[in-house]
Amino acid sequence: MSYFEDASLVYIPSAVKNAKTYSIKPTDGSGDLTFSRASNATRVNSSGLVEKVRTNEFIYSEDYSTTHGWFPSTIGGSTVDFTSNYGIAPNGTTTADRIELHINGQAYADYVRPTASFVVGVEYTYSIYLKSLSGTPTFEFFNDGAIGVNKTITTDWARYSYTFTATSNTAYPRFLVLASTSPDVDVLAWGGQIERGVMTDYIATTSAAVSVGPVSGLPRLDYSGGATCPSLKLEPQRSNLVTFSESFDNAAWSKNGISITANNAVSPDGYTNADLITADGTITEHYILQGQSASVKTISVFAKMGSQRYLQILTGGSAAALANYDLQTGAVGGLGAATTASMVDYGNGWWRLILTSTDALTNNIYFCFASSLSAGRFEAFSSTGTLWLWGAMAENGASYATSYIPTLSSAVTRVADAASKSGIASLIGQSEGTLYWEGYRVNSANFGTALVIDDTTTTNRIYILTTIDGFRIDVTSGGTSSAFYTAIFSEGTHKIAVAYNSSAVDIYIDGVSVYNDTSVTIPACSRLVLGNWSGNTQESRTSQAILFKTRLSNADLATLTTL
Amino acid sequence: MEFRKYELTDADWTAKKATLEITTEGPEGPVTSYDPAKVVAVHEIGHICTKWGEDAEGMPVCEIESPMYAVDILWTDAALPSFNANVVWPEPCGVHVFAGWKEQYAIDYCAANPSAAYCQPPTPIEP
């Protein structure tokens, strides 16, 4: 038999668009899932990189005309000439604008567009492609509100950038030439970008800022763990309470016995924005810390070994929340009484260090150098060691770490994901059928949803839920459960099939028959739900979901679910 | 959807929170959660620290907390009128947001507070 041909609905994460993730069968769209998540998020992309939402806040990035807020600011007889779409831009289109500044014996000539959207204390990068049409002039190409930044422009296209920490909410992309620094200026300009953090790939804009990546409403096809095929990542609502999660040089982080070199190495997101942490060589505790609330339960940070091998995560006021991490081998040790700890390999020497504690964590969280895997709290020792950090996170009320949530000057909340398809009674076996789910189960303190069919209420349903330590499967019709199975299964990938008809329900997990019940009432169902059913929102990663309108044979169930 | 920030007394939040919730049948009995017909997400910030100090080791500790309970709500449609009296408009810098809603909050802030310094167009600094 062909499972694909026999199936009524086959969902394999492969293509998405805003608010939708496509099923590969049926092909008429009637089985495509409706998706929702009312916030940005991150994912691990097919290159194994942590993909964040990136935003170009520079509107009309390829048009510097006065129509869009640019204006000449001249003095006396100095002049500015502007020609739209004068030259060939770096992308091969004739969209580069020509800007000419003529001093004419005066002090300066200026072409400027003030921008007021900067958050004080936050790191930004302004960038623009420039090419001189005459000589190699030096002019001010940006003013961060306090400091004017000069660049010398060559006769070849190049992308010029300036990274700064905002000291006011106003800054000025500009072309300002002073009589004292340069002769007249004649340049082509194209592709302006203002973004938070370091410079990333160019994003074109028109009348509004443009964001790319896992933006609000876009399903996440996730490749965590080096997967070659993606899974649909569905997570609960979580908040990252750490501020400046990638900027350990910021004053939001207190330091002791260490120094910070910002943006020193390529981080797990593929850009040069990881901070180098260097111990100062004295005999002391070497750490950074940030104050947090007592409700924080899971702490995580990405770390990479330089010459410092061991890092400790701990909290203030409690000996129970403590773990040491070996950045060379991926081992954890020295765990506190109420702590679980793990390390996840993100490649290129990067690990995500995770600490979860059932203790009532208090106040500060610390990332502290340690001399061994068994080091105690706040070890004082001499070190000149180095390591890199990126992407710190503190999640409140959380029994496991979820996908990274970047923050700047405030805490940020990612909203829960949900995917479902209503009105598909014709694709669901009403008197007999088979449900198949393949995905990754995460240990958590609450229930999560792997796959559910229902009638949009909880009265009629067949569900496959993830529990604190395994799976729970239930068949309920008219509010009365007629088949119920629950058992412990490890965190990891599993395959589950639930086959039903009027005479029996059979459940197979990972190739093994685990349940048979010959007294069952089949509910009438019309909706398929993956993740976030009836408040059961813990993480699920679905790599396949298949519905059959026939009850597959036990042999087929075994074959289908064998790992 | 609509993103609003609120400050309420503890008792007021307890009462108003109940108006946002529904109870459904979960795997281990009734489950109370936010009604998706009313809200997409709620983030309880809690009592915001209004004065920070240092402990004996020089570590930051909160000395004074606001008596009001801070809550951010992402409404499914428009905000419930019963919450209108509790809306607050902190300047859009350094305040909690739902991921990706920072810009919309700034737009709403300036619509509600057009004379705020944050919302005034800048003028360039000339040499």
Side-chain angles (χ1 to χ4, degrees), chain B residues 1-125:
Chain B
M1 283 182 281
E2 199 169 85
F3 172 30
R4 291 289 181 269
K5 290 176 166 290
Y6 301 94
E7 280 191 356
L8 313 87
T9 64
D10 288 357
D12 201 11
W13 170 238
T14 300
K16 287 183 174 172
K17 182 180 182 180
T19 68
L20 305 178
E21 295 175 330
I22 56 170
T23 300
T24 56
E25 187 64 24
E28 291 189 324
V31 175
T32 300
S33 58
Y34 289 110
D35 183 354
K38 295 178 180 174
V39 296
V40 174
V42 175
H43 178 68
E44 298 186 33
I45 297 168
H47 297 278
I48 294 173
C49 185
T50 57
K51 184 182 180 186
W52 287 89
E54 292 183 348
D55 65 13
E57 297 180 336
M59 301 305 174
V61 292
C62 183
E63 293 182 342
I64 301 176
E65 284 186 341
S66 167
M68 304 298 283
Y69 198 78
V71 180
D72 282 5
I73 299 178
L74 193 55
W75 298 94
T76 303
D77 294 313
L80 287 184
S82 58
F83 280 76
N84 288 351
N86 303 103
V87 171
V88 292
W89 291 104
E91 192 172 279
C93 301
V95 293
H96 168 266
V97 290
F98 296 99
W101 283 84
K102 198 177 192 76
E103 285 69 29
Q104 186 60 50
Y105 177 73
I107 291 169
D108 293 343
Y109 172 87
C110 287
N113 306 276
S115 60
Y118 177 88
C119 306
Q120 306 315 305
T123 53
I125 303 168

Side-chain angles (χ1 to χ4, degrees), chain A residues 36 175 359 408 440 475:
Chain A
S36 67
F175 302 84
D359 196 18
L408 294 169
Y440 193 92
V475 179

Side-chain angles (χ1 to χ4, degrees), chain A residues 5 28 60 110 112 125 127 137 152 207 220 261 281 308 313 357 380 388 391 398 413 423 473 501 548:
Chain A
E5 289 181 6
D28 62 0
Y60 294 104
D110 187 12
V112 61
T125 296
S127 58
T152 298
S207 59
R220 288 180 287 169
T261 306
Q308 174 64 32
I313 300 179
S357 178
W388 289 273
T413 297
I473 298 165
N501 59 22
F548 298 87

Side-chain angles (χ1 to χ4, degrees), chain A residues 144-397:
Chain A
D144 68 9
I147 300 172
V149 183
N150 292 319
K151 294 287 182 183
T152 298
I153 310 304
T154 70
T155 53
D156 294 320
W157 277 112
R159 194 180 187 195
Y160 298 86
S161 69
Y162 173 59
T163 298
F164 65 102
T165 299
T167 55
S168 74
N169 73 336
T170 304
Y172 310 92
R174 75 196 312 179
F175 302 84
L176 168 66
V177 62
L178 301 174
S180 58
T181 59
S182 190
D184 288 359
V185 170
D186 185 359
V187 294
L188 293 178
W190 183 85
Q193 184 151 305
I194 294 174
E195 59 194 307
R196 298 174 193 207
V198 301
M199 185 172 74
T200 65
D201 298 342
Y202 171 63
I203 304 164
T205 71
T206 55
S207 59
V210 172
S211 297
V212 298
V215 297
S216 178
L218 192 68
R220 288 180 287 169
L221 301 189
D222 190 82
Y223 294 79
S224 290
T228 53
C229 294
S231 58
L232 177 67
K233 192 175 187 69
L234 301 166
E235 293 187 299
Q237 177 177 321
R238 288 285 179 87
S239 300
N240 185 0
L241 303 179
V242 164
T243 58
F244 294 99
S245 61
E246 299 170 16
S247 301
F248 299 97
D249 58 322
N250 191 280
W253 293 93
S254 298
K255 294 93 179 171
N256 188 75
I258 55 101
S259 62
I260 310 286
T261 306
N263 304 328
N264 179 263
V266 175
S267 80
D269 76 354
Y271 296 105
T272 306
N273 54 12
D275 288 357
L276 177 68
I277 318 295
T278 305
D280 65 2
T282 63
I283 300 174
T284 186
E285 303 94 347
H286 308 279
Y287 62 76
I288 59 172
L289 78 91
Q290 188 170 124
Q292 289 298 329
S293 72
S295 61
V296 169
K297 292 296 185 186
T298 294
I299 301 163
S300 58
V301 67
F302 293 85
K304 178 177 180 176
M305 177 179 159
S307 56
Q308 174 64 32
R309 179 172 175 178
Y310 302 101
L311 185 69
Q312 181 176 85
I313 300 179
L314 74 162
T315 65
S318 169
L322 169 76
N324 296 317
Y325 301 83
D326 186 339
L327 302 177
Q328 183 168 294
T329 67
V332 297
L335 272 59
T339 300
T340 58
S342 61
M343 299 178 71
V344 181
D345 189 352
Y346 273 72
N348 193 31
W350 283 98
W351 299 89
R352 192 181 192 195
L353 319 183
I354 300 169
L355 179 150
T356 296
S357 178
T358 56
D359 196 18
L361 307 187
T362 54
N363 295 323
N364 308 319
I365 61 173
Y366 296 81
F367 303 128
C368 186
F369 282 30
S371 66
S372 73
L373 205 54
S374 58
R377 287 165 56 81
F378 294 117
E379 183 184 18
F381 68 107
S382 175
S383 173
T384 56
T386 59
L387 56 79
W388 289 273
L389 293 180
W390 183 81
M393 188 147 152
E395 300 174 72
N396 56 336

